Amino acid sequence: MKENKETRAPESQKGHTIEKPKSSEGIGSMVSIEINGNKYSVPLGTTILEACKQNQIHIPTLCHHDDLCIAGVCRVCLVEVEGMRTLQASCAYPITHSLKIHTTSPQVRRARRHVIDLLLSEHYGECYACVRNNNCELQSLAKEYGVDQFTFGHVSAPLFEEDKSSYSVVRDMNKCVLCKRCVRTCIDLQEVGVLESIYRGHETRIGTFLDKPLADVICINCGQCINRCPTGALKANDPSDEIWLAIDDPTKHVVIQTAPSPRAAIGEEFDLGPGHSLTGQMNTALRRIGFDKVFDTNFTADLTIMEEGTELIIRLYKALVEGDKQIALPQFTSCSPGWVKYIEHFYPEYLDHVSSAKSPQQMFGALIKTWYSKKEGIDPANIVSVALMPCAAKKYECNRPEMVDSGYKDVDYGLTTRELAQMIKESGIYLPEMGKSHFDDPFGDASGAGLIFGATGGVMEAALRTIIELVTGVKVENVFENMNIVPVRGFEGIRYAELPIEKVGPVPEILKPLVPNWDWLKGATLKVAIAHGTANAKKIMEDIKAGGKFSECHFIEFMACPGGCLGGGGQPIPTSQEIRAKRAEAIYNEDASLPLRKSHENKHVLELYNDFLTDGPCGHISHKLLHTHYTPRGKYIA
Amino acid sequence: MENKVKREGAVIFSEYNRGDAVKKAISIGREDVLFELKESKLRGRGGAGFPTSTKWMLTAAAKSDKKYVICNADEGEPGTFKDRVLLLEYPELVFDGMVVGGYAIGAKEGIVYLRGEYEYMLKSLQDYLEEMRKDNLLGKDILGKKGFDFDIIIRLGSGAYVCGEETALIESLEGHRGEARNRPPFPVNTGLNGKPTTVNNVETFASVAHIVTKGGSWYSQHGTDKSTGSKLFSVSGDCKKPGVYELPWGTTINELLKIVEADNTKAVQVGGASGLCISKSQFDRQLGYEDLGTGGSIMVFNESRNMLHVLKNFMEFFVEESCGQCTPCRIGNVKLLEGVEMIEKGEYTFNYINKLKELGETMRISSKCGLGQSSPNPFISILENFKEEIFNNGKGGK
Ligand SMILES: Cc1cc2nc3c(=O)[nH]c(=O)nc-3n(C[C@H](O)[C@H](O)[C@H](O)COP(=O)(O)O)c2cc1C
Ligand code: SF4
């Protein structure tokens, strides 16, 4: 499983990447080097840093991040290369010939210590008053190098005001070390390009276009920059104080829905390695903290499949059978609020392709303050609805002015995995030791199809499990082993799959009002695609614009974050390809272990249609509560 | 600033007619051009003194559909103005040198990166290029040589000192913030738009024009063994005759001071802000790569000058002109400047000043580009060479 690293920003904005030969086989493709007197052989083009890593030689780094292109600016990873007058940044030095390298010579140690001392001299703040206390790379470096005083002084007052304008990302430039990871994340990994170095010399800092507040630029709120910030300079906009207030207020009924990805990652905040699902433990902890009800967002993920899948069928029917030229195809998914903001800014002319179905979070919000409140006899005004999400953009999404279809703010707070872990710790709970418990009714447990929404390709797989069965009448497990639709899984940045529909079955009850039969799909080939990370989304969009193969697709899943939601901007820090792969594994394993793995088989969802959304998927009631519209924003900045 | 050529030496200002070098290059062929260059032992005149023939051979050897010749006319080093003189008065040397460069390395495009402040000469330079086009010294099939196409455009810089650093210059040409790149890869392989590029100083191209015309061994007769040819020095400060001088390498500071008629000289800053500052006892030192290598800026300070103020000016310059990307340079220069201010106020300890000198040593070897690598030079050399004045006249350390 490899994420597609070829998806890159405009050549000009790339920073400098080192090209490595495609294969390490063949004569002359290995180079012998000496590190600290020991001999090693490494593939041509390997950086000194990688060569050391491969051979268990530790080199401290700060601006380097495995997900990002090379910067070589912090100068922490300096090493000595024999015969060179200056020390070399090991992260940026490709080995192309035989070298003798020293990684801990006196001048190397002194230079690194100087660099750390200099960074600390300008880093405002005290470690114990920082979200990143104990998980800060600058702090670790200071410890690693035994810093016990501020050799070159220390700033005693903040120089910059925090930028709290965004619902999602808070920037505190007093803690910035100018490693430019956020810049590279935004420009290179996400191809959004909101952040850049501004001013010069000692005044240099990371800023936005015209130094505007983050809320006023084309930030998509994905929070990927937060995940890669080595210090506390970037953090999510934390609503936990408000949530605590609500919990402590006896007149409030505080409910929380939890998305699939946090449960697969929250263990990392409790020093478990990545890849442990703590679903049941988390439910127990949430009740201990004082949430009145704990719901599973997977429930509305199942509902999303019903709504979005139905919408797709309607679009296909109108386009293919009725010949309606106005119908926008391919249909794009809408669950990722980072992606939605991205397309609103960058491709507003394609907004009619985006499914009008709300994201699972917002569907849940609308149901809690309508159906649930009525059913339970609770005044919606007294319900505080919290959404536990792996995501920074969900904070923005729940604050969109249109998200008030229940008559109230549908979701009051978006809480990230990191923030919940903090609340759990504050409650004196060690999560891995908690007993397990289930989600609360009336939403109950949901399907594995909803669960895999957390991984890139998951929405597509969930949709296909349902569409295949509803259209062909054949059980998915008879088409794909163990129900695992492998062609849409994995971490390739862009994936494409074709599914021929050889035979069709009877139209199920729930769809009868919409289509008379499936004959029109017989012999057709369903074409789908998946992209994660907006840089990849951009590639697909450009291909569609140019009338390429993706324009022939029927349905495309877009996730703003690399890896999908499990790599979201609210997930535990650090992040890397390996960590994301482990989280995905945890999610897929949990799905495989569930009795219910198809959205359309979720009884509670069907009950909801019987009970409340009585005119069925994409009917009037569902349209009022579960669907939305988008805002063409463009790149114009007022 | 003084614009006059005060002394014309035997090399750069020797006789030359437009087109000479180009004609010669075509007649002897690419390989011999590179050979003559090697014979001449010419080293880059922009300051770093990298052997020009090596740079050109590497660029010539790089395989690519496109290559570039860039003339670095950013001339941002405080106290240098010799490139301006060459461009204004001897453009034929510079442009012919570039054409020869294009011929030797196989580039079709030449770019002059002209210091923003020199915009006033843009029109006349462009007119000059137009004349060269008319004479078929630029354009297609130059001087009838089939397939030898080359043209030159001029781009204006944006006023940042660091943009004179070749990789920052390339970034700037590509429309980005002027920030130095990581090396390797070097511009000779991966330069402008990712293509092999040779970047040379104005004076380097002018020297090439003579070398190709008159031969490498003619050139290497002048100067010293390791510093061949002559050098243009931009002399400013406390002397009667500031200006541009062509002097053979090997000239001592004393000799130079005499020529420029400087009296009561206390200090000479060799190589601009990023150079070394030497005191009287060292005035017998020689200009040349063996001893005091330089891009040509010579600043003379007489006994009336306060060396701490001189140093402070230099450090203020670097604090502002650092591109700000790497830690040692961005913050280190501030710390050095703060040290100077502490000494000024008499609020320092020798212990701390020594720590700063060590920091300076680190900056020299750990900064990403030449700016941060050389910015501690004045700090270290002035505090060392003028310690009596600076520490005894002041209130002394605590
Ligand atoms: C901060 C900095 C500024 C520089 N400014 C100039 C300049 O103004 N002109 C110049 O020719 N070289 C300048 N250089 C040197 C260039 O990086 C490069 O070495 C030179 O253009 C190469 O040409 P040469 O080999 O002909 O000397 C500068 C270097 C640094 C580090
Ligand atoms: S040494 Fe200074 S000018 Fe050069 S890259 Fe570093 S910060 Fe920029």
Side-chain angles (χ1 to χ4, degrees), chain B residues 162 180 322-326 329-330 367-369 371-373:
Chain B
V162 70
S322 158
C323 81
Q325 67 168 319
C326 77
C329 174
R330 182 183 67 246
S367 296
K368 186 166 173 173
C369 85
L371 194 156
Q373 287 165 10

Side-chain angles (χ1 to χ4, degrees), chain A residues 72-73 75, chain B residues 162 165 178-181 318 321-331 333 363 366-375:
Chain A
V73 295
R75 317 307 283 177
Chain B
V162 70
E165 195 282 334
E179 287 185 352
R181 292 179 174 179
F318 289 122
E321 293 297 334
S322 158
C323 81
Q325 67 168 319
C326 77
T327 313
C329 174
R330 182 183 67 246
I331 312 180
N333 282 312
M363 290 164 66
S366 62
S367 296
K368 186 166 173 173
C369 85
L371 194 156
Q373 287 165 10
S374 57
S375 65

Side-chain angles (χ1 to χ4, degrees), chain A residues 374-429:
Chain A
K374 211 157 134 202
K375 205 174 163 90
E376 302 290 314
I378 304 167
D379 180 355
N382 286 330
I383 296 180
V384 175
S385 179
V386 180
L388 172 65
M389 294 287 145
C391 184
K394 289 282 172 192
K395 294 172 186 285
Y396 174 85
E397 185 184 33
C398 76
N399 281 297
R400 280 181 176 253
E402 63 269 25
M403 293 297 179
V404 290
D405 291 325
S406 62
Y408 301 85
K409 199 177 164 200
D410 291 337
V411 172
D412 293 289
Y413 304 110
L415 185 70
T416 65
T417 314
R418 295 189 297 267
E419 290 152 358
L420 175 66
Q422 180 58 42
M423 291 178 78
I424 293 177
K425 286 175 192 167
E426 256 175 277
S427 310
I429 295 168

Side-chain angles (χ1 to χ4, degrees), chain B residues 44-46 55 72 74-76 164-166 199-201 204 370-371:
Chain B
R45 298 303 194 225
K55 192 183 275 187
N72 187 343
D74 198 43
E75 192 153 60
E165 195 282 334
E166 56 184 10
V199 183
N200 284 106
N201 175 253
T204 308
L371 194 156

Side-chain angles (χ1 to χ4, degrees), chain B residues 90-110:
Chain B
Y90 304 89
E92 65 274 20
L93 286 172
V94 182
F95 292 145
D96 282 1
M98 288 179 73
V99 177
V100 169
Y103 179 67
I105 69 164
K108 296 196 186 316
E109 289 171 60

Side-chain angles (χ1 to χ4, degrees), chain A residues 12 75 87 114 180 199 201, chain B residues 176-177 179 322 362 365-366:
Chain A
S12 57
R75 317 307 283 177
L87 302 178
H114 272 141
K180 297 208 203 180
Y199 306 116
Chain B
H176 311 139
R177 224 180 122 79
E179 287 185 352
S322 158
T362 287
I365 56 171
S366 62

